Amino acid sequence: MPASERDLARALAAVLDGAQPAVGEAGALAAVLSRAAESARIDVPHTEVESALARALRPEPTRAGKRRVRVGIVLAGAAAAAVAAVVLVVVAPFSRAPGLDVAARAAEALGPANTVLAVTERVRPAEEGAFEESARIGWLDLSEGRAHWTLQAGGRRVAETLVEPAEVRHFLPQQNVLIEASTCAAFAAGCTDLVDPIAFYREALAAADGVAVTETVVDGRRAYRLVLPVQSLPDAARIEQVAYIDAETYVPIRFVWRDVPDEGAPRPFAIIDVVSMRAVPRDEVPAGAFELDVPSDVEVVERTEAGEVTGVREVTLEEARQIEPRLLWLGPEYEGRPLELIEEIELDGGTAYRLRYDDLTVWNYTTAVPPDIAARRNGPTKIVPLESGGVARFYGDPGGRAIGEVEGPDRSAAIVAPDLEKVDIFRALDLLAPLE
Amino acid sequence: MEAVREEQRFRREQADFDALFRAHYPEIVRYLTARLGSRETAADLASDVFVEAFRRVPLLRWRGKPVLAWLYRVAANMAADELKRRGREVPVEQPEPPVEATADPTETFPEREALAAALGGLSADHQLVVHLRLVEGYSFAETARLMGRSVGACQMLLLRAGRQLREELEKEGIRAGV
């Protein structure tokens, strides 16, 4: 910007402030602005103010309210239409040939690779009471790297995520916070939200190797049961997915997520019923399908990609109590694990804190995610609502460890505990409290 | 000391919705009228802004900005949505203009209408800076706080807004700046 522009802007300001005579260009512009402003100086009578106040205190459904549910309405419409759409799926002849044949037909039932999917799922705990049941409504456009998910629980929206190639946005309605970043690397869970059960299922079907198929019955329907490993490297797979597909249509009807311990049998964690799934031709995808709908007054938090660790120092409990925003912790002891160490980790993009409870670690971070808990890029994420509000995300780190994360406007926290199963990590996440 | 007073005022406005409404409803209506070009829609939308305020303002945290900054932000967002919505709407009927109605090139709009139209044609930031500094008469320092920008940035915005207004008015045959 040339210096003369700044000078002219200052001169105009001085004329408008009455500190300088209205001459030259500054004077001319001041006159234009003043005349335009005069035209906008309309009277709002006292009586109008009072009647508007009376209306505002007994609000009716507002335009603002309507706009917030727009995506929900669009998606609910898609879900209703899905019942009809399912019957349009090509019904493949019944085949008893297990393995590749079933996998191939199941893949075919999902439509071409560039199909956009409108999906409604019901997510419930395998172990009663482990977490609140929720509905996941969304759009998946895997060939374009886009996904839009709305998670609802108890009749309210608890989280909404939009992933696009150059932007990732998480909206947390309970906190009215929108967390944004230009790259997946800025989020602990990375872009693993893209890996919905159905998306992962499609990917696994495409690979087709090692998909074990058996016949079974689900809710009185003949079905195939496919066990899909999360990773192609068996030694790194800690979570696996069991898919149930309709034996007539080959459309998925249920997924079960299971923890796979180093020793012992897999333990089911979450059951995802596919309420509806519709393949939508690209030119028929509704305009709002990949738009995030947030309130006008949402608080926006920008996340940056975590860089290298530049320093680590020990922090006393007393010092930790003074840290703002407050650290989240599990108290001085958690289920027999005493708090042993608090460390401040300096990162290129911000500061994180590590609280060590024996084999369990609680991470606190704000603008940048510590590299230690950044997700592997192709793993799945499970999102479940917390009783205390907000949602927990579960994903795997590069070493295959399960990590639970809660996001917030001031602090996000993650729990890593190699010896705990997801159910236990989930309980611990719900117990996190400010360190005061 | 000033910051303490500002925070006290913020708390008072959080706690007293009626006072907040009475103090700021008229200026929000004026702002929205300029943005939307319709007094009726502006009043309607201003009510929506305060319904949101009724629910949200008590939950706001003090971050060095007055509640009014929040009100303007919500109003600006709602106005943008309204304009976007209008842009998507297709008129049901688009009557052909009658031949006799062809504009007389020597005829100009009344000046007040032309001024309002030129103001409405400014970008959202330009409109807001003109509104705050000149329609409502806030100082540059107050305007800067309400807009979340520096005083220098607000002065530059106003300069550009003035130039654009002059250009638009000259197109309408109004010799501006005299």
Side-chain angles (χ1 to χ4, degrees), chain A residues 29-385:
Chain A
L29 289 172
V32 173
L33 286 162
S34 299
R35 284 166 68 191
E38 181 58 39
S39 74
R41 218 167 279 137
I42 54 173
D43 184 38
V44 181
H46 174 70
T47 48
E48 182 186 332
V49 175
E50 290 304 318
S51 62
L53 173 59
R55 282 198 308 275
L57 291 175
R58 44 180 173 71
E60 293 165 358
T62 64
R63 188 177 284 106
K66 283 172 197 159
R67 80 191 263 282
R68 272 194 297 280
V69 298
R70 195 181 68 222
V71 165
I73 290 166
V74 169
L75 296 177
V83 176
V86 163
V87 298
L88 295 176
V89 171
V90 177
V91 179
F94 180 73
S95 165
R96 287 189 175 276
L100 289 178
D101 188 33
V102 172
R105 289 182 194 285
E108 196 182 312
L110 293 175
N114 66 349
T115 302
V116 175
L117 295 174
V119 182
T120 304
E121 301 163 348
R122 187 168 67 109
V123 184
R124 55 197 168 95
E127 192 178 302
E128 199 174 340
F131 57 81
E132 193 180 355
E133 188 174 314
S134 60
R136 216 167 109 94
I137 305 160
W139 290 89
L140 279 172
D141 182 0
L142 299 175
S143 61
E144 295 289 326
R146 298 189 298 170
H148 180 194
W149 287 108
T150 303
L151 188 74
Q152 297 180 346
R156 68 187 199 281
R157 181 174 55 156
V158 294
E160 194 170 337
T161 303
L162 180 67
V163 182
E164 292 178 298
E167 191 170 42
V168 185
R169 307 170 84 200
H170 291 309
F171 174 52
L172 308 170
Q174 307 298 305
Q175 294 102 323
N176 196 28
V177 168
L178 180 67
I179 302 176
E180 294 184 337
S182 59
T183 163
C184 295
F187 290 90
C191 278
T192 52
D193 282 15
L194 265 180
V195 189
D196 170 72
I198 290 178
F200 172 68
Y201 165 72
R202 161 171 258 157
E203 198 176 281
L205 290 177
D209 291 340
V211 178
V213 181
T214 51
E215 287 185 45
T216 185
V217 173
V218 174
D219 298 336
R221 293 159 75 177
R222 222 151 40 87
Y224 289 122
R225 179 179 182 274
L226 291 76
V227 180
L228 311 170
V230 160
Q231 277 209 320
S232 53
L233 297 171
D235 59 345
R238 294 290 308 272
I239 305 161
E240 69 181 7
Q241 180 170 306
V242 180
Y244 294 85
I245 62 172
D246 188 288
E248 296 295 323
T249 63
Y250 294 87
V251 168
I253 50 180
R254 178 174 296 168
F255 298 98
V256 176
W257 287 80
R258 307 195 303 188
D259 277 325
V260 184
D262 290 336
E263 293 173 5
R267 183 181 173 191
F269 171 68
I271 299 168
I272 301 118
D273 292 310
V274 181
V275 178
S276 70
M277 191 194 74
R278 185 168 63 117
V280 182
R282 199 161 284 276
D283 57 355
E284 289 176 23
V285 174
F290 292 97
E291 282 177 15
L292 204 62
D293 210 2
V294 297
S296 345
D297 65 335
V298 70
E299 183 181 347
V300 179
V301 176
E302 296 285 344
R303 274 274 172 81
T304 56
E305 186 173 355
E308 296 296 309
V309 173
T310 55
V312 179
R313 83 173 178 96
E314 192 175 333
V315 175
T316 65
L317 187 56
E318 216 34 60
E319 286 173 321
R321 288 186 203 281
Q322 310 305 318
I323 293 169
E324 290 285 355
R326 296 291 187 199
L327 294 179
L328 296 171
W329 74 328
L330 291 167
E333 184 187 291
Y334 178 69
E335 293 192 345
R337 301 174 180 85
L339 174 64
E340 293 167 342
L341 181 64
I342 305 175
E343 291 168 302
E344 187 177 75
I345 317 287
E346 284 300 333
L347 305 164
D348 280 343
T351 305
Y353 294 89
R354 182 165 54 197
L355 288 75
R356 289 192 190 278
Y357 291 85
D358 192 17
D359 60 340
L360 180 152
T361 304
V362 178
W363 284 90
N364 277 253
Y365 45 95
T366 49
T367 54
V369 177
D372 278 19
I373 53 167
R376 64 182 172 213
R377 290 290 163 257
N378 298 315
T381 301
K382 187 83 243 98
I383 305 176
V384 288

Side-chain angles (χ1 to χ4, degrees), chain A residues 1 5-6 8-10 12-13 16-17 25 28-29 31-45 48-50 52-53 55-57 59 62-64 67-68 70 176 295-299 410, chain B residues 17-18 21-22 25-26 30 33 39 44-45 47-48 51-52 54-56 61 63 70 73-74 77-78 81-82 111-112 115-116 119 130 133-135 140 155-156 158-159 162-163 165-166 174-178:
Chain A
M1 185 199 324
E5 284 286 281
R6 280 198 295 271
L8 184 56
R10 281 195 207 105
L12 172 61
L16 292 169
D17 286 345
E25 190 177 3
L29 289 172
V32 173
L33 286 162
S34 299
R35 284 166 68 191
E38 181 58 39
S39 74
R41 218 167 279 137
I42 54 173
D43 184 38
V44 181
E48 182 186 332
V49 175
E50 290 304 318
L53 173 59
R55 282 198 308 275
L57 291 175
T62 64
R63 188 177 284 106
R67 80 191 263 282
R68 272 194 297 280
R70 195 181 68 222
N176 196 28
S296 345
D297 65 335
V298 70
E299 183 181 347
D410 297 327
Chain B
F17 178 76
D18 287 17
F21 191 100
R22 290 187 176 109
Y25 177 81
R30 281 190 286 272
T33 303
R39 174 76 165 76
D44 190 24
L45 218 56
S47 294
D48 285 352
V51 168
E52 279 294 283
F54 187 69
R55 296 194 305 120
R56 300 273 182 195
R61 292 165 61 178
R63 287 187 171 149
W70 183 91
R73 183 155 57 90
V74 174
N77 289 344
M78 285 189 178
D81 283 356
E82 172 66 17
E111 183 176 318
R112 191 181 173 87
L115 285 163
L119 197 56
V130 172
R133 177 64 192 85
L134 292 160
V135 178
F140 272 108
Q155 290 173 346
M156 281 305 298
L158 204 58
L159 173 68
R163 282 180 171 157
L165 278 174
R166 183 170 61 183
I174 294 173
R175 199 162 157 238
V178 289

Side-chain angles (χ1 to χ4, degrees), chain B residues 57-158:
Chain B
V57 166
L59 308 174
L60 295 180
R61 292 165 61 178
W62 168 245
R63 287 187 171 149
K65 280 187 185 180
V67 173
L68 185 57
W70 183 91
L71 289 175
Y72 271 110
R73 183 155 57 90
V74 174
N77 289 344
M78 285 189 178
D81 283 356
E82 172 66 17
L83 292 170
K84 210 186 295 173
R85 190 186 63 76
R86 284 185 198 172
R88 282 198 298 263
E89 277 179 4
V90 180
V92 178
E93 271 184 40
Q94 197 77 47
E96 288 290 315
V99 177
E100 305 78 45
T102 305
D104 178 351
T106 62
E107 189 179 290
T108 57
F109 288 118
E111 183 176 318
R112 191 181 173 87
E113 279 182 36
L115 285 163
L119 197 56
L122 295 178
S123 72
D125 274 351
H126 287 167
Q127 275 188 39
L128 186 56
V129 76
V130 172
H131 173 82
L132 292 171
R133 177 64 192 85
L134 292 160
V135 178
E136 302 302 333
Y138 289 110
S139 68
F140 272 108
E142 288 167 324
T143 299
R145 282 189 68 213
L146 289 171
M147 291 186 73
R149 290 170 177 255
S150 68
V151 167
C154 289
Q155 290 173 346
M156 281 305 298
L157 280 174
L158 204 58

